[in-house]
């Protein structure tokens, strides 16, 4: 169609890369002032391009009190929601969603002297924290709106663009956006997918384990019980549970060797070098299986750690609590037309029909799906670069995804 050709011609690849670089240069780590700064920038851009923009300050106390609150791990004093909607009749036919926040940089030395927020440009890649997860996807969403504005194309039904915060630590921004009443007939979250369509997400629940010991002087350690040693059978039980929960992952995870990992991310014990430690605190994440009630996943870990065949732990059971992010699983309903519409748009751009798969990590997908908005992931980048040092995104993927999204928007929303 002529209108499709016009919009695709208006997608300026160099301008999209410049937009991505500008987004990466804002160090919008979850919960920081820079996260709010980036939301303000996104809101101003959408306003300049003629969308009806709702930008609001999140009422954190109210959100914490609501049923389904997804939890938070990062401390925050504020947060903002940004939604832009084009002209058109009725409920938005499509939502393009992306999160503005990124994880911390980790060890600066692993960036080999590069500024993690420098947006260093290579021949076919852009490097920087958030380039892959998920500012390339955010840039693609914005570039589609910019091309519609440049061509003067008016959609028959509205397109909504949701820019959210706090995805990395639970999904507070998406939860707040949906609670405010913003919705649509379908949504694409432009998380990195390596050219595939992700139609389902496993969940992930943050847990804390407290393992007791008995303090004693290190010179008479036989009088105490070392909490580090007491943790060994706990870790072994976690690994047994992980094997059992991954025994039959289902066809969407056929190519994934471990779709529901259980990992211990932090371990802290002791407060003095010559004292037998009397407490070990470990924190980690538990993978939630597709369609599994998170309460059942929690019960599985609690039961596995309550039944340990260890004399000390029988008398001093492991304490399990659930702080931080609580991601349920989610999926696009089987047979929903969004998957085929997205696949056709991708094939028309790349010449290859994308595969469909599931992701082993939690995301905002489950919040939109839970609110009755059929949702999938399709976006630029390889998730293996997400959260990693020297994070990067392939700019050819950014180009292809942006073009496919433009076609999907035009076909799903229609043109006046």
């Amino acid at each position: 169609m002529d209108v499709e050709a016009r919009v695709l011609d208006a997608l300026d690849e160099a301008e999209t890369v410049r937009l991505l670089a500008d987004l990466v240069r804002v160090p919008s780590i979850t919960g920081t002032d820079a996260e709010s700064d980036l939301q303000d920038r996104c809101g101003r851009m959408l306003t300049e391009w003629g969308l009806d923009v709702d930008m609001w300050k999140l009422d954190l106390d109210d959100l914490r009190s609501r049923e389904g609150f997804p939890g938070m791990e990062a401390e925050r004093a504020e947060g903002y929601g940004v939604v832009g909607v084009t002209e058109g009749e009725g409920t938005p036919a499509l939502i393009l969603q992306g999160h503005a926040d990124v994880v911390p940089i980790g060890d600066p030395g692993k960036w080999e002297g590069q500024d993690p927020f420098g947006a260093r440009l290579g021949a076919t890649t852009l490097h920087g924290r958030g380039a892959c997860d998920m500012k390339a996807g955010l840039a693609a969403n914005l570039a589609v709106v910019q091309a519609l504005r440049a061509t003067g194309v008016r959609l028959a039904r509205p397109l909504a663009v949701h820019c959210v915060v706090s995805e990395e630590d639970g999904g507070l921004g998406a939860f707040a956006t949906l609670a405010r009443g913003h919705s649509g007939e379908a949504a694409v979250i432009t998380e990195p997918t390596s050219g595939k369509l992700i139609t389902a997400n496993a969940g992930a629940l943050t847990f804390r384990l407290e393992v007791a010991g008995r303090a004693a002087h290190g010179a008479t350690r036989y009088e105490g019980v070392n909490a580090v040693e007491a943790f060994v059978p706990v870790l072994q039980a976690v690994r047994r549970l992980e094997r059992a929960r991954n025994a039959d992952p289902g066809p969407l995870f056929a190519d994934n060797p471990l779709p529901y990992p259980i990992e211990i991310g932090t371990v802290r014990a002791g407060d003095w070098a010559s004292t037998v430690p009397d407490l070990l605190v470990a924190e980690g994440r538990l993978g939630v299986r597709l369609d599994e009630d998170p309460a059942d996943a929690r019960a599985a870990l609690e039961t596995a750690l309550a039944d340990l065949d260890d004399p000390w732990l029988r008398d001093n059971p492991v304490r399990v609590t659930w702080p931080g992010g609580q991601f349920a699983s989610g999926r696009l309903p089987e047979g929903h037309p969004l998957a085929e519409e997205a696949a056709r748009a991708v094939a028309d751009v790349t010449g290859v029909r994308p595969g469909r798969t599931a992701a082993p990590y939690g995301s905002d997908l489950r919040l939109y799906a839970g609110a009755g908005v059929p949702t999938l992931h399709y976006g630029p980048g390889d998730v293996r670069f997400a959260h990693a040092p020297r994070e990067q995104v392939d700019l050819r993927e950014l180009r292809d995804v942006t073009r496919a999204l433009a076609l999907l928007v035009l076909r799903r929303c229609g043109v006046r």
Side-chain angles (χ1 to χ4, degrees):
M1 294 175 60
D2 177 62
V3 68
E4 292 184 353
R6 285 167 50 207
V7 172
L8 292 180
D9 287 344
L11 289 169
D12 185 329
E13 186 176 350
E15 177 60 29
T16 305
V17 172
R18 283 193 292 271
L19 174 59
L20 170 58
D22 287 344
L23 297 176
V24 169
R25 291 187 183 115
V26 181
S28 53
I29 295 170
T30 303
T32 64
D33 290 344
E35 181 191 57
S36 297
D37 291 344
L38 187 55
Q39 285 289 83
D40 180 66
R41 291 193 190 196
C42 291
R44 283 189 283 109
M45 281 188 282
L46 293 172
T47 300
E48 290 169 7
W49 295 333
L51 276 67
D52 180 13
V53 174
D54 181 17
M55 183 170 181
W56 72 99
K57 187 174 183 179
L58 307 187
D59 186 335
L60 299 178
D61 290 337
D62 174 67
L63 292 168
R64 288 190 188 96
S65 70
R66 287 177 176 259
E67 183 179 356
F69 173 66
M72 294 189 299
E73 295 182 22
E75 294 184 8
R76 67 169 56 249
E78 65 176 18
Y80 290 88
V82 174
V83 170
V85 182
T86 65
E87 295 179 348
E89 297 295 328
T91 301
L94 184 67
I95 298 166
L96 297 181
Q97 194 258 36
H99 64 83
D101 61 313
V102 301
V103 297
I105 64 169
D107 179 1
K110 298 292 177 61
W111 291 83
E112 298 180 348
Q114 303 168 18
D115 178 1
F117 297 103
R120 183 174 64 85
L121 191 62
T124 59
T125 55
L126 188 141
H127 297 252
R129 173 56 84 226
C132 175
D133 184 17
M134 63 167 291
K135 290 182 178 178
L138 192 59
N141 296 346
L142 296 170
V144 169
V145 176
Q146 191 175 26
L148 292 173
R149 173 65 184 274
T151 56
V153 169
R154 300 178 67 190
L155 300 175
R157 297 189 294 164
L159 165 70
V161 178
H162 294 187
C163 303
V164 303
V165 299
S166 196
E167 189 276 345
E168 295 291 358
D169 70 330
L172 173 70
F175 181 73
T177 298
L178 294 163
R180 194 168 173 86
H182 291 292
S183 188
E185 293 182 2
V188 174
I189 300 177
T190 49
E191 294 273 12
T193 64
S194 298
K196 296 180 179 180
L197 303 180
I198 291 178
T199 57
N201 275 118
L205 308 177
T206 301
F207 60 80
R208 177 180 291 132
L209 310 179
E210 296 178 30
V211 181
R214 185 171 62 227
H217 195 291
T220 56
R221 69 175 184 83
Y222 47 83
E223 297 288 346
V225 175
N226 191 311
V228 176
E229 293 180 350
F231 179 62
V232 172
V234 175
L235 181 58
Q236 291 170 340
V238 166
R239 287 290 172 253
R240 288 194 299 270
L241 178 64
E242 181 184 61
R243 287 193 294 273
R245 289 175 60 79
N246 284 274
D248 184 19
L252 276 175
F253 280 122
D255 58 351
N256 190 312
L258 193 66
Y260 306 119
I262 309 175
E263 184 57 302
I264 305 293
T266 66
V267 177
R268 302 181 301 277
D271 56 9
W272 195 253
S274 60
T275 298
V276 175
D278 62 357
L279 178 66
L280 179 145
V281 178
E283 295 177 331
R285 56 93 71 193
L286 168 71
V288 179
R289 295 183 291 197
L290 292 181
D291 305 318
E292 180 181 32
D293 188 324
D296 293 337
R298 295 186 190 100
L301 180 64
E302 292 168 358
T303 299
L305 298 184
D307 295 338
L308 296 176
D309 185 19
D310 180 273
W312 174 258
L313 294 175
R314 279 199 298 272
D315 293 336
N316 301 271
V318 178
R319 181 169 183 262
V320 185
T321 54
W322 302 92
Q326 303 291 297
F327 293 84
S329 69
R331 68 163 83 213
L332 182 74
E334 188 69 30
H336 192 277
L338 178 64
E340 179 56 31
E341 292 165 358
R344 188 160 56 248
V346 174
D348 287 347
V349 168
T350 66
V352 178
R353 283 185 65 83
R356 300 182 193 181
T357 187
Y361 49 81
S363 82
D364 285 341
L365 183 153
R366 99 282 189 188
L367 294 172
Y368 282 79
V373 182
T375 303
L376 58 76
H377 285 189
Y378 173 65
D382 183 334
V383 73
R384 291 176 296 181
F385 291 118
H387 298 204
R390 302 184 301 283
E391 185 177 349
Q392 62 187 266
V393 67
D394 189 320
L395 298 176
R396 295 164 296 189
E397 287 188 32
L398 175 61
R399 174 200 63 209
D400 289 347
V401 167
T402 305
R403 292 170 69 83
L405 291 174
L407 292 181
L408 179 62
V409 167
L410 293 170
R411 294 170 183 178
R412 175 159 264 276
C413 296
V415 178
R416 293 187 188 183

